[in-house]
Amino acid sequence: MKIYFAGPLFSLAERAFNSKLVGILREKYNYEIFLPQESKENKNSDTMSIFLSDEKGVKDCDVIVAVIDGADADSGTCWEFGFAYALGKKLIIIRTGFRVLERWNSFQRPINLMMYESAIKSGGRVIEYYGKNFDELATLIKEKLENK
């Protein structure tokens, strides 16, 4: 199974979170994972190379695992997520923040309506994890990848 791991990558904390979780998923479960921050294209300033590398990563994957934390989802992650949805990929959202971002009448969602419904319609899931253990989170992701 090929996974595209989408999420913000602009701060040390974001890159460290991504690297730690992806490392566990690779080591424990032997998943093939494209992590954009690791690609040589994302380490240079040529924006078209970055775009084409990430676009190919989405096209080549079976599933997107996207980190949707913070006050609003990262715009690049949203694009990757929407593009993957248009290609018919399975979508899994990871949410580790506990703020409620969307309110529709009396119904509340922890993430954007379009992101949430895309994940569900794709056959994917939303993982809300408020613990502190990366191994536990990796296990939850594995279970969702296997539709448990």
Side-chain angles (χ1 to χ4, degrees), residues 2 4 34 50-61 79 83 87 89:
K2 291 183 181 179
Y4 185 102
F34 180 84
I50 294 169
F51 173 80
L52 293 173
S53 172
D54 292 357
E55 178 188 45
K56 182 178 182 336
V58 172
K59 286 179 178 177
D60 291 348
C61 78
W79 185 89
F83 182 54
L87 294 174
K89 308 289 182 176

Side-chain angles (χ1 to χ4, degrees), residues 11-119:
S11 73
L12 177 60
E14 291 165 342
R15 291 187 304 276
F17 178 88
N18 298 343
S19 292
K20 175 80 172 174
L21 189 53
V22 165
I24 292 168
L25 289 167
R26 286 174 175 155
E27 185 177 316
K28 282 182 79 172
Y29 305 115
N30 203 33
Y31 289 127
E32 182 180 343
I33 302 173
F34 180 84
L35 178 60
Q37 71 194 47
E38 294 175 342
S39 75
K40 70 179 188 298
E41 292 82 6
N42 271 289
K43 293 181 176 147
N44 77 39
S45 59
D46 178 2
T47 57
M48 182 53 76
S49 294
I50 294 169
F51 173 80
L52 293 173
S53 172
D54 292 357
E55 178 188 45
K56 182 178 182 336
V58 172
K59 286 179 178 177
D60 291 348
C61 78
D62 301 304
V63 61
I64 298 284
V65 174
V67 178
I68 309 294
D69 276 336
D72 200 10
D74 173 71
S75 57
T77 302
C78 289
W79 185 89
E80 293 157 342
F81 202 81
F83 182 54
Y85 178 78
L87 294 174
K89 308 289 182 176
K90 183 176 179 179
L91 307 168
I92 294 178
I93 293 172
I94 302 169
R95 179 102 182 130
T96 64
F98 55 83
R99 288 183 276 194
V100 174
L101 301 179
E102 295 282 330
R103 287 184 173 81
W104 296 92
N105 298 320
S106 63
F107 185 73
Q108 297 182 1
R109 286 192 173 94
I111 57 171
N112 175 281
L113 163 73
M114 300 304 282
M115 304 285 284
Y116 178 89
E117 296 299 345
S118 295

